Amino acid sequence: MMNIAVFASGTGSNFDAIMRAVEAGDLDVNVALLVCDKIGAPVIEKAQNYQVDTVVFTPKLYGNKAAYEHALLKDCESRNIDLIVLAGYMRLIGPTLLKPFEKRIINIHPSLLPAFPGKDAIGQAFQSKVKVTGVTVHFVDEGMDTGPIIDQEAVRIEDGDTEEDVQTKIQCVEHELYPRVIQSLLVKEESTK
Ligand code: GRF
């Protein structure tokens, strides 16, 4: 079975959705590791409740990005991680992780990329008054939300929707889309063996 590591910085609702999909038998992976860069982030407690091995690190305690990514690379290699799943991880991935994990790091972003990359994508969409936004899952490259798109799903912004309404709709889509995309990558991987 494929081993995945989830990297997250915050609430962890997508981490939770992945774990629920695994428990339901809809996603055939072993979530072998949760990596978090924020002490006290709610996702850490979620991982502990699911008894997922957890690495919490403080980037400032390392000299530079290459140094902490080298440590994370070792954490992933020692657990035979096949795929890194970013779920609200608020840092760009550097070459130390990107090179050994080429095409094996994915991210979920709350907009229809290439529209509204970067922070607060939902707020950006809401303020720009678009009628359709959505969710994108993509491979990670060195840019900010720029790698090849794997799948997308649209979310309509109705007249009268508040920003919170849009956020709720986006999260519902994310929690269903991310486990499904991960599962589809496994199927592709199997068929190329
Ligand atoms: C999600 O909206 C995801 O698209 C973005 O960060 C958010 C993480 O939320 N990259 P959560 O921590 O999974 O609840």
Side-chain angles (χ1 to χ4, degrees):
M1 193 181 281
M2 191 176 259
N3 291 319
I4 72 168
V6 178
F7 283 29
S9 305
T11 313
S13 69
N14 281 283
F15 170 80
D16 196 55
I18 290 166
M19 294 310 300
R20 281 186 280 115
V22 170
E23 288 194 340
D26 296 332
L27 178 55
D28 304 315
V29 297
N30 173 37
V31 182
L33 182 63
L34 181 272
V35 169
C36 182
D37 61 341
K38 288 236 163 54
I39 291 169
V43 69
I44 298 167
E45 201 184 320
K46 290 190 172 79
Q48 283 162 356
N49 290 340
Y50 283 108
Q51 295 179 330
V52 171
D53 215 358
T54 303
V55 166
V56 184
F57 73 103
T58 304
K60 275 189 198 145
L61 298 182
Y62 294 83
N64 51 40
K65 186 192 280 278
Y68 69 72
E69 287 199 341
H70 185 73
L72 297 179
L73 180 61
K74 295 287 150 212
D75 289 326
C76 288
E77 284 175 347
S78 66
R79 291 166 180 84
N80 294 316
I81 298 298
D82 302 293
L83 180 74
I84 296 177
V85 173
L86 308 186
Y89 181 67
M90 301 302 283
R91 292 177 183 276
L92 287 178
I93 303 288
T96 311
L97 275 172
L98 272 176
K99 284 212 182 98
F101 276 92
E102 203 195 340
K103 279 277 182 133
R104 294 194 296 142
I105 308 180
I106 62 172
N107 181 44
I108 189 161
H109 183 78
S111 76
L112 293 178
L113 290 171
F116 312 124
K119 282 194 184 155
D120 193 23
I122 298 171
Q124 291 183 55
F126 190 76
Q127 265 142 40
S128 73
K129 300 196 169 19
V130 292
K131 298 291 180 194
V132 180
T133 182
V135 179
T136 302
V137 179
H138 63 96
F139 288 110
V140 171
D141 63 11
E142 58 289 333
M144 169 99 80
D145 305 319
T146 49
I149 291 170
I150 305 168
D151 206 351
Q152 295 185 301
E153 209 166 302
V155 169
R156 285 200 66 83
I157 302 181
E158 305 291 350
D159 294 345
D161 272 355
T162 64
E163 195 173 324
E164 289 69 37
D165 294 333
V166 180
Q167 189 175 344
T168 304
K169 289 197 243 184
I170 293 238
Q171 279 176 334
C172 281
V173 168
E174 286 189 338
H175 298 164
E176 190 268 324
L177 181 67
Y178 216 6
R180 184 154 51 80
V181 169
I182 298 167
Q183 182 66 20
S184 76
L185 291 176
L186 306 182
V187 172
K188 266 187 207 140
E189 173 100 346
E190 277 301 312
S191 63
T192 56
K193 270 184 189 162

